[in-house]
């Protein structure tokens, strides 16, 4: 256990569905991240929040919409996804300029 | 800009043999370097990190890595492999010490043969 909890662990959704991924940490960290892990590709940083403010959006399609209501919770809202969006979505948190702690991920399958 | 190259997407070793996973980095500033491990259906767990202190870094589970600036390398080693070491290993580089600007390699899958 790293202190970062992601739910659900597995999700299957159709291309017309809307779903949300949830991440929470109670480590006192002030930064939270969403990463996408696809087979045979490096982890891709999607979004960064520092002190609840989004500070980075690495050209992620608008069908992915992050939300950070407080420094302990992070959501990734999904709508009209494509099959190529199937991947493991990892949440991480950190203090400023310290290493990241990762959750166990949500395995997303888009059908 | 930072980048990481992990040589060998798959490495197989016998139980009890030396583990060597290779990582070369590119960075325009003094780097912070990390090794993470990922077990099946799990997230990433930090094994060790280099933050410009000692060049030989010891991590969890008996792993260590040596920072060699002249070779731009940060290879991960363990003297004796255990079956439980079978996992995927990721090298990562950052210019700030934190996760804000963390670049990962493509990973090396370690298989341990009984």
């Amino acid at each position: 256990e790293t202190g970062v909890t992601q739910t659900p662990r597995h999700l299957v959704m159709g291309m017309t569905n809307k779903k949300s991924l949830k991440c929470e940490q109670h480590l006192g960290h002030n930064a939270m991240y969403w990463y996408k892990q696809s087979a045979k590709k490096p982890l891709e940083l999607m979004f960064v929040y520092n002190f609840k403010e989004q500070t980075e959006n690495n050209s992620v399609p608008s069908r992915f919409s992050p939300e950070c209501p407080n420094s302990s919770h992070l959501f990734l809202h999904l709508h009209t996804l494509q099959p190529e969006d199937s991947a493991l979505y990892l949440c991480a948190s950190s203090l400023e300029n310290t290493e990241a702690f990762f959750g166990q991920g949500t395995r997303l399958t888009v059908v | 800009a930072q980048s990481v190259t992990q040589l060998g997407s798959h490495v197989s070793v016998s139980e009890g043999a030396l583990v060597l996973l290779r990582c070369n980095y590119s960075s325009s500033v003094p780097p912070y370097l990390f090794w993470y491990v990922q077990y099946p259906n799990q997230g990433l767990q930090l094994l060790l990190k280099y933050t410009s202190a000692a060049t030989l870094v010891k991590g969890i589970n008996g792993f260590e890595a040596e920072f060699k600036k002249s070779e731009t390398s940060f290879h991960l080693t363990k003297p004796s492999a255990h079956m439980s070491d079978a996992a995927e290993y990721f090298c990562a580089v950052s210019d700030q010490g934190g996760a804000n600007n963390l670049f990962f390699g493509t990973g090396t899958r370690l298989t341990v043969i009984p």
Side-chain angles (χ1 to χ4, degrees):
Chain A
E1 280 296 327
T2 62
V4 180
T5 304
Q6 289 187 243
T7 54
R9 293 292 310 279
H10 300 272
L11 178 63
V12 179
M13 60 185 289
M15 289 189 283
T16 58
N17 291 159
K18 291 185 180 181
K19 296 286 184 184
S20 296
L21 310 185
K22 180 181 177 182
C23 175
E24 61 182 299
Q25 57 90 8
H26 298 286
L27 300 170
H29 291 169
N30 52 24
M32 297 187 77
Y33 314 82
W34 280 116
Y35 282 86
K36 176 183 179 182
Q37 185 178 28
S38 304
K40 296 184 174 26
K41 294 175 67 175
L43 271 75
E44 302 170 54
L45 179 62
M46 300 174 71
F47 299 104
V48 179
Y49 278 83
N50 278 298
F51 296 100
K52 303 187 301 177
E53 299 296 322
Q54 184 174 311
T55 59
E56 194 150 340
N57 172 348
N58 285 341
S59 303
V60 180
S62 59
R63 56 187 184 268
F64 295 91
S65 174
E67 178 189 3
C68 190
N70 54 62
S71 57
S72 298
H73 293 85
L74 183 65
F75 296 89
L76 187 63
H77 303 301
L78 316 170
H79 64 96
T80 59
L81 294 192
Q82 304 299 311
E84 60 265 29
D85 296 322
S86 299
L88 182 68
Y89 288 84
L90 292 165
C91 173
S93 70
S94 74
L95 289 171
E96 190 172 4
N97 291 338
T98 66
E99 68 273 16
F101 289 75
F102 285 81
Q104 294 183 310
T106 296
R107 173 70 62 187
L108 174 67
T109 304
V110 181
V111 297
Chain B
Q2 290 81 36
S3 67
V4 163
T5 301
Q6 290 184 242
L7 296 176
S9 58
H10 290 86
V11 171
S12 293
V13 300
S14 298
E15 192 175 14
L18 171 72
V19 176
L20 170 61
L21 305 182
R22 300 178 185 274
C23 173
N24 288 89
Y25 69 90
S26 172
S27 178
S28 56
V29 299
Y32 295 86
L33 293 158
F34 307 83
W35 275 101
Y36 283 87
V37 60
Q38 185 177 33
Y39 298 102
N41 300 313
Q42 300 291 321
L44 275 68
Q45 180 183 2
L46 182 68
L47 272 179
L48 50 80
K49 62 178 179 179
Y50 167 76
T51 57
S52 76
T55 56
L56 182 62
V57 181
K58 293 187 184 300
I60 62 171
N61 301 339
F63 283 93
E64 62 182 35
E66 186 172 8
F67 172 70
K68 292 187 177 180
K69 184 178 178 180
S70 60
E71 299 177 8
T72 61
S73 69
F74 190 58
H75 301 331
L76 182 71
T77 60
K78 182 173 180 177
S80 175
H82 294 171
M83 295 299 295
S84 60
D85 295 327
E88 188 143 21
Y89 293 79
F90 294 90
C91 183
V93 63
S94 169
D95 62 355
Q96 300 172 4
N100 273 19
N101 205 22
L102 194 60
F103 293 86
F104 284 87
T106 50
T108 298
R109 182 167 299 280
L110 176 67
T111 300
V112 181
I113 303 166

